Amino acid sequence: MQLIQIVEALIYAAPEPVTSAEIAKAVRRAATDSVLPQARDWEMISFKDIESAIAALGERLAAAGHAIELQEGASGWRFVTRADFADWIRALLPEMRPEKLSAAALETLALIAYRQPITKADIEAVRGVSVDGTMQKLLERRLIRTGGRADLPGRPMLYETTEQFLEHFGVKDLNDLPNASELRLVPLPSADVPAEGEAEAATDVPAAEVAEAPAEEATEEPAIETATEEEPDDSPRTAIDLSNIDFDPGPDEEEREEEAAAPEVEPCDDDTDVNWHVEP
């Protein structure tokens, strides 16, 4: 058993792409329990030894004309079929036909890939059209993601590519993109950034309008309360003229004495025939 065969088996059996470091760790762990004589040399195998074995495996596959090849992506190594056999595989698995990206989506994705992190306003400034629908599709396909907020007025969202983007296009990192170093330096139009004073003035207007509403309500409520309540009047009283008012002063003292000495009369019913008299 050779190291190159072990590496081939690990990459083939891994359900997900596997890195060279993960392969080296698995080889060292298995070598401690192995009875093979050469396993003693693999107990302390290095990362460079695994890289050399992977390179030798890739050369062997290419020299033998195999339909599969090794590919290193952002998540690690994996076996893939060569592009020459794409039509034959598509005939076997028609349901696995990948969904193609539109020209607008590719342009937007290219801007994000080469100029990330970038705001949606800067993308629209370059393309000259709204990209809301396109950005939503790229987010749903997990080709891009939000990467924080820009240090600009309004704190707009920043967008960047994902590992799914690298896997989709078969690149290890962003430096493997075509003409990456040149396209990152090409001057592009950017969105207009409002001045700090203008941004503050724009944000102060709604706040002032909102603050006025409660103030008006607060002034109306006391007016209703004062209209229904009686407040004490501390102003000095003035003399009132009663000469023109006609009123009965009531009985004087003599009249009150006569009324007290008069006999009491018991009331009776007029419909009954009853004799009554007044006692002195």
Side-chain angles (χ1 to χ4, degrees):
M1 184 181 296
Q2 298 179 358
L3 179 61
I4 190 173
Q5 295 174 318
I6 298 175
V7 171
E8 182 180 5
L10 293 176
I11 296 176
Y12 179 79
E16 300 291 339
V18 59
T19 63
S20 301
E22 292 173 341
I23 295 174
K25 185 177 181 179
V27 171
R28 289 194 295 266
R29 186 186 301 114
T32 56
D33 300 331
S34 178
V35 296
L36 295 176
Q38 59 270 38
R40 305 288 73 81
D41 298 333
W42 298 338
E43 291 180 358
M44 300 299 295
I45 196 169
S46 64
F47 176 81
K48 292 182 179 180
D49 294 335
I50 298 298
E51 288 286 338
S52 299
I54 292 175
L57 177 60
E59 294 175 359
R60 179 181 297 183
L61 294 174
H66 285 279
I68 60 175
E69 61 183 0
L70 271 175
Q71 184 184 78
E72 185 180 15
S75 302
W77 292 95
R78 64 177 178 175
F79 284 115
V80 296
T81 55
R82 290 166 54 186
D84 301 339
F85 301 93
D87 295 337
W88 306 94
I89 298 173
R90 192 175 296 115
L92 176 65
L93 304 171
E95 68 278 2
M96 295 184 63
R97 183 184 298 272
E99 181 182 355
K100 294 184 179 180
L101 294 174
S102 63
L106 287 174
E107 291 177 5
T108 303
L109 188 58
L111 285 171
I112 298 174
Y114 285 102
R115 296 304 181 94
Q116 61 183 309
I118 187 173
T119 64
K120 184 172 70 70
D122 287 338
I123 298 175
E124 293 176 344
V126 175
R127 297 200 58 219
V129 295
S130 176
V131 295
D132 291 335
T134 303
M135 296 283 288
Q136 184 62 33
K137 291 181 179 179
L138 294 176
L139 287 169
E140 291 175 355
R141 298 191 62 176
R142 296 186 298 174
L143 295 175
I144 62 173
R145 64 187 176 190
T146 57
R149 294 184 177 273
D151 189 13
L152 297 172
R155 304 285 292 172
M157 298 295 299
L158 293 170
Y159 295 91
E160 60 187 13
T161 56
T162 62
E163 292 185 358
Q164 181 69 21
F165 165 82
L166 300 176
E167 296 289 344
H168 182 83
F169 291 96
V171 293
K172 182 180 179 181
D173 53 38
L174 297 175
N175 294 326
D176 293 339
L177 294 174
N179 302 325
S181 59
E182 298 177 4
L183 293 178
R184 289 173 182 169
L185 300 178
V186 175
L188 296 176
S190 59
D192 296 334
V193 179
E196 293 293 338
E198 297 177 358
E200 293 178 358
T203 55
D204 289 342
V205 173
E209 296 177 355
V210 173
E212 289 177 359
E216 294 177 357
E217 295 178 358
T219 55
E220 292 178 357
E221 292 179 357
I224 297 174
E225 294 178 357
T226 54
T228 57
E229 295 181 359
E230 296 182 358
E231 295 183 357
D233 188 5
D234 298 334
S235 59
R237 302 296 182 179
T238 58
I240 300 176
D241 186 7
L242 302 178
S243 60
N244 296 327
I245 299 177
D246 185 11
F247 63 94
D248 186 7
D252 53 11
E253 185 176 356
E254 296 180 356
E255 292 178 352
R256 285 197 295 271
E257 293 179 355
E258 294 178 357
E259 290 179 357
E264 294 183 358
V265 179
E266 297 181 358
C268 64
D269 190 356
D270 296 339
D271 295 336
T272 58
D273 188 8
V274 177
N275 295 324
W276 58 279
H277 62 278
V278 177
E279 295 179 358

